[in-house]
Amino acid sequence: MTSPIRLPVVTPTAAAGSEPVPALKPPVDPATLVHRQLLGGDFWRKIPAYRDIDEATFLDHKWQAKHTITRPDKLLEAVQELASPEFIADVRDGFHRSPMSLRVSPYLLSLVDWSNPVADPLRRQFIPMGSRLLPDHPKLDLDSLHEQADAPVAGLTHRYPDKALFLALDTCPVYCRFCTRSYAVGIDTDQVEKVHLRPTQDRWERAFAYVASRPELEDIVISGGDAYNLRAEHIEAIGNRLLDMPNIRRMRFATKGPAVMPQKILTDDAWFSALVGVVERGRKLHKEVVLHTHFNHPSELTEITQRAMNRLFAAGVFVRNQSVLQRGVNDTPEAMRLLIKRMSYLNVHAYYVYVHDLVKGVEDLRTTVDTAIELEKQVRGLTAGFNTPTFVVDAPGGGGKRDCHSFEHYNRETGISVYRSPNVNADAHYLYFDPIHLLPEAGQKRWADPAEHDVMVREAIAAARDRRR
């Protein structure tokens, strides 16, 4: 019988006398680890309206909510000399032509670079400028993902076999320009009369009854609107109602909140305790309850974010992130790498990067499928795989999420990519359209002729079918 193999024990004395371990890579300058360099201090005091606000007040979620800006004139009042009257007039025109109304938290306003707001990536996401808007793509549909068409009851989308999306309400702590649910979220605007999904008991009961009646459903996304705007008792009621259903194994509370108002996690103890309570009960039942959030740019993660994420992590709440790929925000390798590394540093796991949906009024923010494919190459291998996002197209027409490079056909001249989604509809083809202004001249010329639109679509579908043969 052979004796077990034992590893040698290295004593401090032996280690001291041994040769140094050779360095295969050059030393790293700590100053280059920029993903760890988080904005801190009282940075909000640079905004004239917040010059006298102390930290305790700025961290109060009630103060943030009360002072959230909802009108362009209030925006001018807050930033005062930091923004010119011409800029505010441009913004006013932007909101007049936008499907989303204005709602910006003091925290978010403080993160904008007001020395150059036109180019700032946060301004681009939340504050439109009329002079920067572009015509919508002719194939755009207000509900481009057909969430309402796949809704058996109001506010519940059942598209994938085992997953449903529960839109519990139609309000958010801030309103993003690029919101794919601009058909429902927020108040009516000059451009869009909303489909309202208010948090009523009757509507929720119909949704719960449907979920309970479908044994194949195991995974529920609780969104809206935004789960941040649910009261503590709502978090408990929804979470526990779903946990009580034998078929439900997983649920996710979806919120933009940590990116735009992390103060709520730090100071709204009732809401935080309700979320943690549902997470802990789920764990005892061997069911997964997690938080899904939405950071798009490295500047959205600060020392306040770190405190909030640390509180969630210490309480056992797992956080995943879903970003939207946006031109001038995160469409460069440098910006995307820094975003991914900074999120991983704060225990936020990168999950998806969505190629921007075809959303009304934000053609200036969209970019191409080709851009997403190249970015995915650039970030793969940057960090661990579980912290590396998958780049996806949420296929217009209700095809669901498809890996951006998994197209059946992609014509870079016309900007049309064709996807299949066998688990949704094996026979259907789903088309995504790149922004026309980013196409080569020949493609722009074809789109300028309305008679060519359906011709290009038929060509793309035919090419996709030929590939399957």
Side-chain angles (χ1 to χ4, degrees):
M1 183 175 181
T2 58
S3 58
I5 298 174
R6 299 182 181 277
L7 294 175
V9 178
V10 181
T11 64
T13 304
S18 62
E19 292 293 323
V21 178
L24 298 179
K25 294 180 180 291
V28 172
D29 180 356
T32 65
L33 302 175
V34 293
H35 65 281
R36 303 177 185 175
Q37 299 168 14
L38 303 172
L39 179 64
D42 51 358
F43 56 84
W44 59 87
R45 291 182 186 267
K46 68 183 179 183
I47 304 297
Y50 313 143
R51 281 176 181 151
D52 299 325
I53 302 301
D54 60 23
E55 182 179 67
T57 302
F58 195 75
L59 292 181
D60 183 358
H61 73 281
K62 292 181 179 178
W63 184 89
Q64 287 284 330
K66 181 178 179 181
H67 291 84
T68 290
I69 292 169
T70 57
R71 301 200 323 251
D73 60 315
K74 291 295 183 182
L75 177 66
L76 177 60
E77 188 178 304
V79 299
Q80 297 176 28
E81 70 273 8
L82 298 181
S84 68
E86 293 78 16
F87 173 81
I88 297 298
D90 205 342
V91 168
R92 186 175 288 109
D93 178 51
F95 277 110
H96 175 68
R97 296 159 58 188
S98 171
M100 295 300 292
S101 50
L102 173 61
R103 192 169 183 82
V104 177
S105 66
Y107 171 78
L108 179 59
L109 196 70
S110 301
L111 298 181
V112 173
D113 178 8
W114 288 101
S115 67
N116 187 12
V118 174
D120 183 78
L122 276 70
R123 192 285 305 166
R124 289 176 64 85
Q125 295 180 69
F126 301 97
I127 304 174
M129 296 176 64
S131 62
R132 298 295 169 124
L133 300 181
L134 297 169
D136 290 332
H137 196 285
K139 291 296 183 179
L140 180 145
D141 180 3
L142 184 59
D143 181 11
S144 67
L145 303 183
H146 287 199
E147 289 182 340
Q148 294 181 87
D150 287 332
V153 298
L156 185 82
T157 297
H158 184 186
R159 175 173 300 145
Y160 301 102
D162 73 345
K163 187 186 87 170
L165 168 67
F166 177 36
L167 304 179
L169 72 172
D170 56 12
T171 62
C172 304
V174 302
Y175 293 141
C176 309
R177 290 183 56 209
F178 52 89
C179 182
T180 195
R181 295 192 189 111
S182 56
Y183 68 86
V185 170
I187 62 175
D188 294 344
T189 69
D190 292 342
Q191 299 297 317
V192 177
E193 184 175 345
K194 309 284 181 170
V195 175
H196 294 292
L197 298 171
R198 294 183 176 89
T200 65
Q201 188 66 32
D202 181 61
R203 186 174 70 81
W204 285 9
E205 285 297 333
R206 289 197 299 273
F208 293 144
Y210 179 84
V211 173
S213 74
R214 304 296 304 197
E216 75 274 25
L217 280 177
E218 297 181 350
D219 188 339
I220 306 296
V221 180
I222 301 121
S223 185
D226 195 298
Y228 238 42
N229 279 22
L230 292 169
R231 298 197 300 268
E233 58 267 32
H234 289 161
I235 295 287
E236 292 173 336
I238 294 171
N240 288 321
R241 184 69 172 271
L242 292 172
L243 286 175
D244 287 340
M245 297 182 190
N247 54 315
I248 300 304
R249 304 297 302 166
R250 299 171 299 279
M251 73 178 75
R252 328 165 200 176
F253 286 94
T255 173
K256 178 75 174 173
V260 297
M261 199 186 292
Q263 290 87 345
K264 185 176 182 71
I265 294 169
L266 295 173
T267 59
D268 190 345
D269 290 333
W271 188 91
F272 180 84
S273 296
L275 176 66
V276 172
V278 175
V279 170
E280 290 178 341
R281 182 169 181 245
R283 190 173 295 118
K284 291 175 182 176
L285 295 172
H286 308 133
K287 298 185 177 187
E288 181 185 74
V289 182
V290 301
L291 188 73
H292 275 207
T293 191
H294 184 178
F295 293 103
N296 284 329
H297 189 270
S299 295
E300 297 169 8
L301 295 108
T302 68
E303 285 188 356
I304 298 175
T305 315
Q306 185 176 40
R307 290 188 228 175
M309 296 303 101
N310 285 349
R311 191 180 191 202
L312 288 168
F313 187 80
V317 180
F318 188 88
V319 182
R320 296 192 191 104
N321 189 77
Q322 300 182 146
S323 298
V324 174
L325 180 60
Q326 298 172 80
R327 195 156 63 93
V329 175
N330 54 17
D331 62 334
T332 64
E334 295 75 21
M336 189 58 72
R337 287 187 191 118
L338 184 54
L339 173 64
I340 292 168
K341 287 287 287 182
R342 187 162 286 173
M343 289 193 301
S344 65
Y345 185 61
L346 301 187
N347 293 312
V348 177
H349 292 256
Y351 176 33
Y352 278 146
V353 174
Y354 290 88
V355 175
H356 200 307
D357 294 331
L358 276 82
V359 174
K360 185 177 177 61
V362 288
E363 200 69 359
D364 59 306
L365 287 179
R366 288 205 309 126
T367 187
T368 64
V369 169
D370 224 16
T371 300
I373 294 171
E374 181 59 29
L375 283 174
E376 186 166 42
K377 292 177 184 177
Q378 293 288 337
V379 303
R380 183 66 57 186
L382 173 71
T383 186
F386 57 78
N387 267 327
T388 303
T390 300
F391 287 68
V392 297
V393 171
D394 205 343
K401 302 167 189 67
R402 316 308 299 158
D403 284 3
C404 63
H405 56 262
S406 69
F407 48 79
E408 303 296 318
H409 170 73
Y410 182 21
N411 185 326
R412 289 162 175 81
E413 181 178 291
T414 64
I416 301 177
S417 48
V418 184
Y419 294 86
R420 293 179 58 241
S421 187
N423 288 312
V424 174
N425 185 335
D427 299 321
H429 289 89
Y430 300 93
L431 278 63
Y432 183 82
F433 302 90
D434 287 346
I436 293 173
H437 68 284
L438 296 181
L439 299 179
E441 183 178 352
Q444 294 189 38
K445 185 176 180 180
R446 292 193 72 181
W447 280 108
D449 180 2
E452 283 287 289
H453 294 182
D454 289 341
V455 175
M456 287 185 282
V457 167
R458 288 195 296 270
E459 290 173 353
I461 294 175
R465 286 175 174 155
D466 285 343
R467 176 180 174 180
R468 290 187 65 186
R469 298 194 190 105

